[in-house]
Each structure stands twice: as structure tokens, then as C-alpha cells.
Amino acid sequence: MSVWPAWKVRDGGGATVWFGVRLEFGDGARVDAVAVVSEGCVSIEDVRAEPALSLDDLAALADWIEGPLSEACGIGTGPDADGGEGGEDADGAGTGRAGSGWPRGVEGQWLIAQKYRAAQEAGTDPVLAVMSATGHSRRRSLRLIGQARDAGFLTPRRARR
């Protein structure tokens, strides 16, 4: 993976920096992205892929580039940063932040489901409950909830109409 600064705009006391990101895979597939860093937050502005990414791959893109991009930007590079020494284990369950203490694999998925259902029964936002329990971002918590659904611990989502 390659990350390089594309341009920087100074505004008042801070700056907004755009980075180019390229992932190249052994089979010839390539993903190019433009990421912007402003006030310590990283967001993706543009993605181009050959061949096109599936929705699952697009959702995983942020996880693929988060660590190297954070290092290039100089933010969130400590051992407790998301994307630092965490990651995914063999069955796809997130390990979370290094030292977070959240269990891996099936046990972690079961606990996510318990937190989610408890919040639903209490009439509170289940995603916020999972975020609070795990210490992860909304995006990462939604992925963990999806993994708990895939493992059969939560009912499938209702289809939107």
C-alpha cells in the first residue's frame, strides 16, 4: 500500500491535508482513494477500483487503509488507536483496540448481541450501547453487530422498503 500527501490547505490555526492512497493486489486489482485529514479526523473523499469493489469490500476499505493512513498523517499511531495493533482474527471477529479486553471470536459476538438486545429492551440506541461497551467507533460497532447477526446471535435486519 502507498500513501502520499497530495495537497494541504491552511485555515486559521489548523490545516486540512489530502492524501492519495493506492492498494495493489497480486491479481492485478487496484484501489485508489483520496482521504482528507481535518481536525484529527480522517475521511474518504473518493474511491476508484479496478475491478469495482463489492459493498462488503467498500465497507472494509476503511479498515484496510486506516492504520497506514493514520501513520502517514501522524494521528492515532499509539498502541490504543483503532487500527493500531488490533485487527481481525481467523473467523473475522474484531479484536478491537490493543488491550481493550473485549473477547474475540464467538464469545465477543455473543456479548455484542447481549448488549444490543439489552439496549433494545431498555428502549435505548443499541448501536450506542455497543459503542460504549467496546469503545469502538460507530462504523466498527456496526461491523461487530453485523458479525453477531451473521453468527446467528441476532435476528436478520428487516428489509427496507
Side-chain angles (χ1 to χ4, degrees):
M1 183 167 100
S2 308
V3 178
W4 65 93
W7 62 93
K8 179 187 260 185
V9 176
R10 296 201 183 279
D11 50 357
T16 301
V17 184
W18 283 262
F19 287 86
V21 179
R22 174 170 284 166
L23 289 100
E24 294 182 283
F25 299 91
D27 63 358
R30 186 177 81 210
V31 177
D32 291 308
V34 176
V36 64
V37 179
S38 180
E39 297 176 8
C41 296
V42 178
S43 59
I44 305 298
E45 288 207 347
D46 186 38
V47 176
R48 295 177 190 208
E50 186 63 43
L53 296 174
S54 70
L55 288 177
D56 288 337
D57 289 342
L58 187 58
L61 176 64
D63 289 334
W64 294 342
I65 67 173
E66 185 174 31
L69 187 58
S70 293
E71 285 180 30
C73 301
I75 61 172
T77 57
D80 288 338
D82 277 332
E85 295 175 16
E88 292 191 355
D89 58 20
D91 57 344
T95 60
R97 296 182 215 193
S100 71
W102 194 260
R104 297 179 178 198
V106 174
E107 183 182 357
Q109 293 167 351
W110 184 82
L111 288 171
I112 293 287
Q114 296 302 311
K115 295 289 183 187
Y116 188 94
R117 281 196 296 270
Q120 278 184 320
E121 291 169 7
T124 60
D125 185 340
V127 177
L128 288 177
V130 171
M131 289 171 61
S132 176
T134 63
H136 290 298
S137 67
R138 182 171 187 82
R139 183 190 79 227
R140 182 70 175 130
S141 295
L142 287 168
R143 290 194 67 209
L144 292 171
I145 291 165
Q147 291 170 355
R149 282 188 202 290
D150 292 345
F153 295 120
L154 292 170
T155 58
R157 290 188 64 178
R158 290 174 281 186
R160 292 184 180 175
R161 295 180 188 226

